[in-house]
Amino acid sequence: MDPLLSTALEAAEAAARVHLLHFGDVGLDEAREKAHSDFVTRVDLEAQEAAMAVIVQRHPAHRILAEEDTPGEAGWWCGRTWPEDGGYLWILDPLDGTTNFLHRHPQFAASVGVGRRVEPAAGGSDRDPSAVLEAGAVVAARTGERWWARRGQGAFKNGLPIGVSRLRALKSALIGTGFPFKEPDLVSRYLQGFQRVLPASGGVRRGGSASMDLCYLAEGILDGFWEEATLSPWDVAAGLAILQEAGGLATRLDGSEIDLEDGSVLAANSPDLLRELGTLVRGP
């Protein structure tokens, strides 16, 4: 297996083993609330340590952006920027779906992605440097689901190749979403979009783990997905790497490129469905 992909998968599995070790033993009384309904537990921290240990051992010169960041650890955290030297940046969520985990709901996962900054191709382009996601792995310990992808080599679930659905009619599409629970001021706007999407689609589902939602989109269980401006890069990096290799598309709600800042996500199995879903979510 490719070294980057192998590291991503092993790091995600290391974190997932921590999830299983503590599942059912850690409750809300042990959690610390970072923001409204946004919790962190010793499981998040222990899982992050396990995943980071794999990355640092295999790629000591690479940099890491992790949810429970530890800027005091030299070389392990570089902030919200891609390394300008073209070096690799690992983007890690040790426990995506902490609230689900605390309530023993099975939809939670470890998410590990890696990318790098690239210069525009030769030929006179004046476009700013952008970034590419090289590999990603999402491991859901409780459900036994493991997704992974390497740029240019396809996407897989539990060893079998996956791809987005071929459904193109929004009226039959199953759409995933996430609630803007961290930003109450967005709830009213979100609900207006929800009211437009629900009757126009085949249904809307909210699972509570963006990385898993993107993987379900990648394998054709969902046909589209959107979430308002509450997602961080560690929530989506691995899932986006897998979705892209499965043939899916993702942007911000306004159509702009997804970067390392917190923001919205709009994703679908095709350009047409992406456009139609985005129109409904944004509204008049």
Side-chain angles (χ1 to χ4, degrees):
M1 186 179 286
D2 173 87
L4 290 177
L5 178 55
S6 176
T7 299
L9 187 54
E10 184 174 331
E13 288 180 332
R17 285 193 291 272
V18 175
H19 301 169
L20 282 182
L21 180 65
H22 296 293
F23 184 74
D25 294 333
V26 178
L28 281 167
D29 58 330
E30 295 187 50
R32 174 173 60 86
E33 193 171 23
K34 296 185 292 183
H36 177 67
S37 297
D38 187 13
F39 300 98
V40 61
T41 70
R42 59 185 170 88
V43 181
D44 296 73
L45 300 176
E46 187 177 331
Q48 179 163 299
E49 183 178 350
M52 292 177 77
V54 173
I55 298 168
V56 171
Q57 180 184 32
R58 292 191 172 196
H59 306 285
H62 293 184
R63 296 166 218 181
I64 300 174
L65 174 62
E67 178 174 14
E68 315 305 336
D69 58 70
T70 52
E73 300 287 351
W76 280 20
W77 182 75
C78 70
R80 300 296 187 90
T81 58
W82 292 101
E84 293 187 359
D85 58 5
Y88 291 103
L89 174 64
W90 292 86
I91 307 171
L92 164 65
D93 191 336
L95 177 50
D96 181 28
T98 300
T99 299
N100 282 351
F101 179 87
L102 290 170
H103 288 272
R104 294 178 288 112
H105 188 292
Q107 193 158 341
F108 58 86
S111 171
V112 180
V114 59
R116 60 188 177 92
R117 188 172 183 260
V118 295
E119 298 293 333
S125 171
D126 58 358
R127 196 167 57 85
D128 291 336
S130 58
V132 295
L133 291 167
E134 294 285 357
V138 174
V139 176
R142 191 63 178 173
T143 66
E145 295 168 299
R146 301 158 72 243
W147 298 269
W148 64 85
R150 177 68 164 97
R151 186 164 69 96
Q153 298 180 16
F156 299 84
K157 178 181 181 180
N158 294 346
L160 298 176
I162 58 173
V164 295
S165 71
R166 297 182 179 182
L167 189 151
R168 297 294 182 264
L170 181 59
K171 66 179 181 179
S172 302
L174 185 62
I175 307 298
T177 190
F179 302 148
F181 64 91
K182 297 179 187 177
E183 300 178 66
D185 291 345
L186 292 177
V187 171
S188 177
R189 187 177 76 187
Y190 168 81
L191 289 176
Q192 291 174 30
F194 184 90
Q195 287 178 323
R196 290 187 291 268
V197 173
L198 182 61
S201 68
V204 178
R205 300 289 182 269
R206 194 267 184 173
S209 167
S211 63
M212 291 182 70
D213 285 333
L214 291 171
C215 289
Y216 288 141
L217 176 55
E219 67 169 294
I221 292 175
L222 296 175
D223 305 298
F225 173 82
W226 95 96
E227 185 158 344
E228 290 280 356
T230 59
L231 291 172
S232 297
W234 45 79
D235 295 317
V236 299
L240 289 176
I242 294 164
L243 176 62
Q244 289 170 4
E245 281 301 300
L249 303 166
T251 67
R252 298 295 190 196
L253 287 184
D254 63 5
S256 62
E257 185 177 337
I258 296 174
D259 53 23
L260 288 180
E261 296 300 321
D262 293 350
S264 60
V265 171
L266 175 71
N269 61 13
S270 64
D272 288 345
L273 197 57
L274 185 77
R275 189 180 310 109
E276 191 174 0
L277 177 60
T279 299
L280 285 175
V281 170
R282 290 187 296 269

